[in-house]
Amino acid sequence: MTRILITSALPYINGIKHLGNLAGSMLPADVYARFQRARGKETLYICATDEHGTPAELGAAALGQDVRAYCDDQHQIQRDLYAGFGISFDHFGRSSSLQNRTLTQRFAQGLWEAGFIEGRVTKQVYSNADKRFLPDRYVVGTCPHCGYNAARGDQCDNCTRQLDPVDLIHPRSSVSGSEDIEIRDSLHLFLKQTAFDGKLRDWITDKKGKWPVLVTSTALKWLDEGLQDRGITRDLEWGVPVNAADWGPNPSGERPDVAGLAGKVFYVWFDAPIEYIASTWEWSASKPGADPASETEYESWWRGPAADDVSYVEFMGKDNVPFHTVGFPCTLFGSNETKAADGSWRPSSNAPWKLVDTLKGFNWLNYYGGRFSTTHQRGVFIDAALEILPADYWRWWIVANAPESSDAMFTWEQFQAQVNADLADVLGNFVNRILKFTETRFEGVVPDGGESGPLEDKLHADVAAKLAELNEQMEAIDFRKATQALRQLWVLGNQYLTEAAPWTAIKTDPARAAVAVRTGLNLVALFAKVSEPFIPFAAEKIAGGVGEAFPGQWPTGEGAAVLDILPAGRKVAAPEVLFKKIENDQVAAWLERFGGPEPVEAEG
């Protein structure tokens, strides 16, 4: 595959996200995108705010805003915060875009006319206290399967089973807390996921051993428990309108009940994944000189045969896995559509939509053993994180502790210890001491002269082996192991300087000292290149210290080649302190501000 398409789960428009949201989608996607760009791969990283549904309506109401104005403001807030974290989206779109409305309605029409959508009268929850229908996730109660007392109407977070609001025991409104609710009949559209059971099972089974166990086991669990058809419309005002009047008959000759579907919108979990495609269209339409109506460029990333050279990689937390391994694939399976001569859209196998090639799912990042909570003011949210420390501190710790095989836990004490050890003591110390020494003893230029010896030969071999390991882990999208390999590269630099000891050699053998300094400066240049996906802000300062372009190309070749980049005579200069150590009094203040371990009640 010559092109890389990357998407990360869309963050909801309401509210600033916490570190766990970054850990499960956007940050690892960014690290991978930066890696692939550095390797010279044509890479497109797409994301967007998820703006439809009740969360946006309630958020706007709480602030006394129009929903569109609320989404405008919140989108900009989120965009700015992600930029502050260095998240390098090629486009950060919006699910309320015209492109997403167009594609969502087009997908639905094609699915109806192919016979994969049907209308059904359903029982919907109506809250008398709130004077509105309640979407699934705004009905809470006790799960009938596991007894969890805070299960949502669409899914139980404890046992992960798919639910219907009417299944819940003692249901109540999560908006008002009221139990004064009733069940009313309402016509809705259902995506016939059961029609794709066999196809889904074959597709997921083929991914076993290629995708994380978390992903394939979650998807197969849903299938083993019995795939259900999925309601894809809701009784809401804010969302993509159901345009049933435009639809033709299905294979049985039936037309949709236009009157019964009037005023309804598509369920957010139907239109949100389509926004991956729509956001790509937004990206292509926004390019200078582009025709906003043209679909050629975005389709070249999403539809065969033009997209046959694209490798598509998705990043998401485990709660999003079912919708991306079942719901969205069913939409794509049934929607291989093309435009007919009369201008209408019809199913076709000529230009199939691209399914994900690699789905990287993550477990939870927890806070002192519990969940991040806005309500209880527990945990770190990304605006506060950027307020108290530079982004690279957070980026490094989160990726180094990525919740890949199990849940991970954030504590201030561990965060302090790891940041101080890895970033300040290993990387920062190395860069500072070699550049400071060059300034004081070699007039701030890369020295010439001297010949490499056995110590450099060993370093070349060690660096080559560790680079190969880093490449392997990045290709495998195994971030914990990748950060371990990168840290070990930094350690090699410190070990080399300790053994070469140019500050001692310069007293008796200036040529030998020049070799050590030149090698050390080339290590600085190498570290800037390979650290950029993880800590881009510091990497830019490191590259600037040795006069290298940023971002640089990912190193290729043997150890000797990658450590022979800087020309003799080039001016170098130590940057400001890259990483200030986190002090104990800071940790104490942050524990007071953000909360710490939950108190344990004494027995007896």
Side-chain angles (χ1 to χ4, degrees):
M1 300 292 188
T2 59
R3 292 185 290 161
I4 311 292
L5 174 64
I6 299 169
T7 62
S8 55
L10 310 187
Y12 276 126
I13 192 67
N14 61 317
I16 292 168
K17 309 310 168 191
H18 55 66
L19 296 184
N21 297 120
L22 280 181
S25 57
M26 287 172 282
L27 181 53
D30 177 69
V31 172
Y32 187 67
R34 288 176 178 273
F35 166 67
Q36 293 294 0
R37 292 189 195 109
R39 298 175 71 218
K41 295 280 189 178
E42 186 178 356
T43 302
L44 185 63
Y45 177 17
I46 294 293
C47 192
T49 39
D50 184 359
E51 301 189 6
H52 289 142
T54 302
E57 291 185 351
L58 296 180
L63 295 177
Q65 285 184 291
D66 169 78
V67 184
R68 168 62 71 176
Y70 171 81
C71 290
D72 291 345
D73 291 347
Q74 295 300 312
H75 175 82
Q76 189 60 51
I77 290 170
Q78 292 204 33
R79 175 191 287 275
D80 291 344
L81 286 171
Y82 300 142
F85 263 92
I87 308 298
S88 61
F89 304 119
D90 288 287
H91 186 73
F92 186 61
R94 305 179 61 177
S95 68
S96 61
S97 69
L98 174 61
Q99 288 86 352
N100 196 42
R101 174 184 289 215
T102 299
L103 286 176
T104 297
Q105 293 176 337
R106 188 184 297 170
F107 271 104
Q109 179 177 356
L111 288 164
W112 169 270
E113 293 173 0
F116 297 124
I117 286 178
E118 66 181 15
R120 299 179 186 175
V121 174
T122 65
K123 303 294 185 181
Q124 296 291 306
V125 177
Y126 186 86
S127 169
N128 290 306
D130 301 308
K131 294 182 172 55
R132 62 179 295 158
F133 282 101
L134 294 176
D136 298 350
R137 62 186 299 112
Y138 279 82
V139 185
V140 295
T142 300
C143 175
H145 302 290
C146 71
Y148 180 57
N149 65 4
R152 300 193 316 262
D154 60 344
Q155 183 181 352
C156 175
D157 283 340
N158 185 54
C159 68
T160 73
R161 290 205 185 192
Q162 186 176 355
L163 299 174
D164 188 279
V166 298
D167 298 332
L168 293 173
I169 301 168
H170 303 305
R172 61 190 182 277
S173 166
S174 67
V175 179
S176 61
S178 173
E179 296 184 5
D180 183 12
I181 60 178
E182 61 184 65
I183 307 300
R184 295 184 178 181
D185 287 345
S186 184
L187 175 67
H188 283 283
L189 297 175
F190 278 70
L191 176 61
K192 297 164 69 174
Q193 295 184 151
T194 50
F196 304 104
D197 188 293
K199 198 168 187 177
L200 276 171
R201 187 175 295 276
D202 290 344
W203 181 60
I204 295 298
T205 301
D206 181 63
K207 303 301 182 183
K208 293 180 72 174
K210 304 172 186 175
W211 289 2
V213 173
L214 168 69
V215 174
T216 54
S217 62
T218 300
L220 290 172
K221 181 174 181 285
W222 270 47
L223 294 175
D224 291 342
E225 290 176 352
L227 190 61
Q228 302 294 316
D229 294 339
R230 187 70 164 169
I232 61 167
T233 53
R234 291 294 184 269
D235 293 291
L236 296 172
E237 296 180 2
W238 176 245
V240 175
V242 176
N243 60 327
D246 299 333
W247 301 356
N250 65 17
S252 299
E254 299 174 293
R255 291 184 177 272
D257 181 347
V258 175
L261 294 169
K264 299 184 190 296
V265 301
F266 288 104
Y267 181 33
V268 65
W269 270 115
F270 181 71
D271 84 81
I274 294 171
E275 170 60 13
Y276 296 136
I277 305 173
S279 188
T280 312
W281 189 359
E282 296 169 45
W283 162 77
S284 64
S286 67
K287 298 171 79 170
D291 176 2
S294 174
E295 303 186 45
T296 302
E297 184 167 7
Y298 88 81
E299 285 193 344
S300 74
W301 288 89
W302 283 99
R303 302 189 75 173
D308 287 350
D309 68 329
V310 172
S311 179
Y312 176 27
V313 186
E314 290 180 346
F315 292 82
M316 67 194 62
K318 61 184 176 183
D319 56 330
N320 286 328
V321 165
F323 299 100
H324 290 77
T325 55
V326 177
F328 190 37
C330 285
T331 296
L332 298 182
F333 283 147
S335 299
N336 291 328
E337 56 187 358
T338 190
K339 204 167 190 177
D342 63 0
S344 61
W345 290 84
R346 295 291 184 268
S348 170
S349 60
N350 295 327
W353 292 99
K354 185 166 187 61
L355 294 166
V356 62
D357 295 298
T358 300
L359 198 159
K360 178 71 173 182
F362 291 87
N363 292 280
W364 301 129
L365 174 63
N366 293 322
Y367 184 82
Y368 283 97
R371 298 288 290 275
F372 286 83
S373 172
T374 305
T375 303
H376 299 99
Q377 296 184 322
R378 293 191 75 249
V380 189
F381 289 72
I382 62 177
D383 57 342
L386 291 176
E387 173 195 330
I388 62 177
L389 285 172
D392 282 340
Y393 288 64
W394 303 106
R395 287 179 64 104
W396 175 254
W397 188 91
I398 290 171
V399 180
N401 296 275
E404 292 173 309
S405 58
S406 62
D407 289 350
M409 183 170 68
F410 178 92
T411 71
W412 286 108
E413 296 83 359
Q414 184 202 17
F415 177 70
Q416 175 193 27
Q418 192 166 2
V419 164
N420 287 353
D422 294 355
L423 298 183
D425 290 343
V426 180
L427 178 60
N429 178 60
F430 173 82
V431 173
N432 181 70
R433 63 174 174 160
I434 187 61
L435 283 168
K436 286 290 189 184
F437 184 73
T438 306
E439 287 179 333
T440 58
R441 302 307 298 268
F442 287 90
E443 299 180 342
V445 299
V446 179
D448 199 0
E451 296 292 335
S452 296
L455 192 59
E456 286 71 41
D457 292 341
K458 180 180 184 303
L459 176 67
H460 296 160
D462 290 344
V463 165
K466 199 54 62 178
L467 275 177
E469 181 182 338
L470 177 58
N471 279 328
E472 180 182 351
Q473 302 305 341
M474 288 297 287
E475 284 281 18
I477 319 181
D478 194 332
F479 293 111
R480 280 199 179 205
K481 291 180 179 178
T483 56
Q484 291 167 9
L486 178 56
R487 186 187 188 279
Q488 288 161 5
L489 262 177
W490 299 341
V491 169
L492 285 176
N494 282 279
Q495 291 174 341
Y496 171 78
L497 276 191
T498 299
E499 293 183 53
W503 35 85
T504 300
I506 197 168
K507 300 173 185 177
T508 58
D509 191 350
R512 180 65 204 150
V515 172
V517 169
R518 188 166 63 250
T519 301
L521 294 173
N522 274 282
L523 281 167
V524 172
L526 173 66
F527 293 169
K529 291 180 174 66
V530 295
S531 302
E532 185 266 334
F534 304 88
I535 47 173
F537 299 101
E540 185 171 11
K541 293 177 183 177
I542 295 169
V546 291
E548 283 291 277
F550 182 88
Q553 293 183 340
W554 194 259
T556 57
E558 297 300 320
V562 300
L563 293 178
D564 187 22
I565 301 299
L566 302 181
R570 174 184 286 181
K571 289 287 292 181
V572 299
E576 60 186 36
V577 175
L578 291 170
F579 300 101
K580 294 180 181 178
K581 285 196 171 185
I582 298 173
E583 303 296 337
N584 290 338
D585 60 345
Q586 292 176 288
V587 170
W590 295 334
L591 279 166
E592 179 70 22
R593 175 178 174 182
F594 299 105
E598 292 280 13
V600 178
E601 295 183 4
E603 295 183 3

